[in-house]
Structure formats: structure tokens, C-alpha cells
Amino acid sequence: MNVDNEDQDVEETNEDQDVEETNEDQDVEETDEDLESLKERALLIVDNVIKGATDTIIDQKKKEEAARAKYKIPNIQWVECKDFTIGKGLLQIEEYMRTWELHESWLHWTNYLSEEELQYSIRYHYRVRWSIPTCRKPIPRATACVYFILEISKVRPDTLPIEVYFMVETNKLIHRPGESRFKEKWLKDVIESKIGLMETIYF
């Protein structure tokens, strides 16, 4: 009788173990499935983040390119060093100034000033006087000058373009064509400051 009870207990124990092992296997399978699902979701999130960042960068680059195209600073093809003459320099200054956005009422005249020889280059100086004459005042009360320096290198290949710089009167800032956008306000400021100064002087 006791033997039968022991056999029955053993069988029940084995059944319980089988049930526990089955449950453990199911838990392992469910855990594996959960991990796979989490991995898939994580990869999806990463892909979306990368795609979003890439789209943002592309859009930003497009905006920057559009802005550069819209605000492109005008310039001209400057003459090569070997072909430079004082006359050509004057003509090229005139050509370059036509790229400036100025009101048609502005008039100017350009003249060559001097030559300056340095150790490694030769500089040619020009002056452009700007004013706005009117019917009532054909002789303007004041003018604003822009000074150009055209530089010919002695050491660089003579097939390279000349170097060009310009400065507005009373302003020490040096500008370069293609890098600085000329502003009409610069001329107005010079003329207004001169007129204001003259009005404080009594003869």
C-alpha cells in the first residue's frame, strides 16, 4: 500500500516538474519574442531619427544655397596681371561699379592718381568721386570718394588676375570685389557728414 502511494507521489512530482518546465519554456519563448519586438521598435525609432536628421540637414543646405544665390555678391572678371595697363584698370573699375545698386541720380568721375612700387608688388591708385547734382544745385555741396587699389604681383604667375581693393572716404575698412556688397548708404553718410560739418562753420 505504501509502495503504491510512493509511486503515485513520484508520478505527481514528475508531472509538476513537467508543468514547470513547460511554463519556463513558454516564458523563455515569450521573453525572446518580447526582445525581438523591442529590437524592431528600437530600430524603427533609430531609422526615423536618422531620416528626420538627414531631411533637416538637406533642407538646411537647400535654404543656404538659395540664400547664397539670392544674395550673391556681384563681381567681374578682372584682367590678368600680364595684360594690365592703367587705362584697362580704369575701364575695369567703371565696369565693376556698374554692378553696384545705386540710384540713377548718382553721378561720378574716375581718375588715376599714382603708382606705388613695393617689394613684391606694384599698386595703382584710383579715385572715384560720387555726388548727386540737381537742377537747383548743379554743383553739389559735397562729394564722396571711393579709392581703388589695383595690385600687380611681382612673384605670383602673371596669368593670375590682379588683386583689387577699395575703401570709402573716412572709412578705414578695406573691401574686396566679390566679398563686400557695396551700399549706397556709405556714400550718403559721407556726404551728410560733410554737409553737417560745413553747416557748423561760419565765414
Side-chain angles (χ1 to χ4, degrees), residues 1 3 5 10 43-44 62 73 78 94 121 143 162 201:
M1 190 71 178
V3 172
N5 289 336
V10 169
L43 288 172
L44 183 62
K62 287 180 179 179
I73 299 173
W78 294 92
E94 293 287 337
S121 65
T143 61
I162 61 175
I201 301 174

Side-chain angles (χ1 to χ4, degrees), residues 106 130-132 137 139-144 169-170 187-203:
W106 284 97
W130 289 91
S131 63
I132 305 180
K137 294 182 179 179
I139 300 176
R141 296 179 65 188
T143 61
E169 184 180 0
T170 73
L187 300 178
K188 289 181 177 179
D189 288 346
V190 173
I191 290 176
E192 288 173 2
S193 64
K194 286 184 176 181
I195 292 175
L197 180 62
M198 286 188 291
E199 289 175 347
T200 63
I201 301 174
Y202 300 95
F203 297 96

